[in-house]
Amino acid sequence: MKKSDVGVVVFVYGICLFFYYYLQELPPEAQTYPLCLISGLFILNTLFLILNLIKLKKIGMENDLHSVFEGFLKSQFFTVLTACVIYIVGVYYIGFYITSIAYLIIIMSFLKVPLKSSVLTVLVLGLVIYFVFSMFLKVPLPLGVVFE
C-alpha cells in the first residue's frame, strides 16, 4: 500500500458521505439513480482499500509521497481546470448537450486524443447521455437560459 492511497481512500469516502447527506434532500423517487452511483463508488473504494490492505500485509507501506507529482504539468492541469469552470458556466447559459459536446471536443483536442477516438467518444457519450437521462430516466437536463 502506498501512503498516497490512504489520502485517496479517505477523500473518496468523504465524497460519498457528502453526496449521501445531500441526497436525503431529494424526493424519494429521485434518489434511486444517485444512490446507485454513490453505492458503486463506495463499493469500488472499499474493494480498493481491501486490496491495498492485503498488499500492505505482504510488502508493507510504501512511501511514494516524494514522487506523486513527478511529471506534473501545470499548464495542462490549469487549462483543464479552467475548461471545467467554463463548462459549468456554459451549462447554465447554453445548456447541457451543447456545452458537453463542445467541452469534450475541446479537451480531447487539447490532450491530443486521436481524431477517430474523439469522434467516437463524443458520439457514444452523446447517445448514452440522451437515452439514459432523457429517454429512460426522463431527467430534464438544463437547456440554458439562452434557449429557455
Side-chain angles (χ1 to χ4, degrees):
M1 182 172 198
K2 299 175 185 174
K3 280 192 175 183
S4 61
D5 292 337
V6 174
V8 170
V9 167
V10 170
F11 183 74
V12 172
Y13 279 133
I15 289 172
C16 290
L17 185 64
F18 175 81
F19 282 107
Y20 183 76
Y21 176 79
Y22 283 102
L23 175 68
Q24 304 309 307
E25 296 177 6
L26 294 174
E29 60 273 4
Q31 291 182 3
T32 306
Y33 181 71
L35 188 58
C36 288
L37 291 178
I38 294 168
S39 300
L41 184 61
F42 183 86
I43 290 167
L44 289 173
N45 196 47
T46 303
L47 289 173
F48 180 73
L49 177 62
I50 291 168
L51 290 173
N52 276 303
L53 289 174
I54 292 169
K55 195 187 303 182
L56 175 67
K57 221 172 187 175
K58 288 181 183 176
I59 60 172
M61 181 69 76
E62 182 183 334
N63 186 0
D64 68 334
L65 297 179
H66 63 287
S67 64
V68 169
F69 291 106
E70 199 172 285
F72 178 73
L73 303 172
K74 289 180 188 176
S75 63
Q76 187 178 34
F77 173 78
F78 287 112
T79 301
V80 171
L81 183 65
T82 303
C84 289
V85 171
I86 293 170
Y87 173 78
I88 293 168
V89 173
V91 168
Y92 177 76
Y93 284 106
I94 59 174
F96 180 80
Y97 290 114
I98 296 171
T99 306
S100 297
I101 290 170
Y103 175 80
L104 285 172
I105 291 169
I106 291 167
I107 289 299
M108 286 193 284
S109 63
F110 173 75
L111 296 174
K112 296 177 178 60
V113 175
L115 183 62
K116 183 179 177 184
S117 299
S118 297
V119 170
L120 190 61
T121 301
V122 169
L123 288 174
V124 169
L125 279 176
L127 290 171
V128 166
I129 289 169
Y130 176 73
F131 283 108
V132 169
F133 289 101
S134 298
M135 301 301 288
F136 178 66
L137 294 173
K138 297 187 184 352
V139 174
L141 295 172
L143 297 173
V145 294
V146 172
F147 299 111
E148 285 183 345

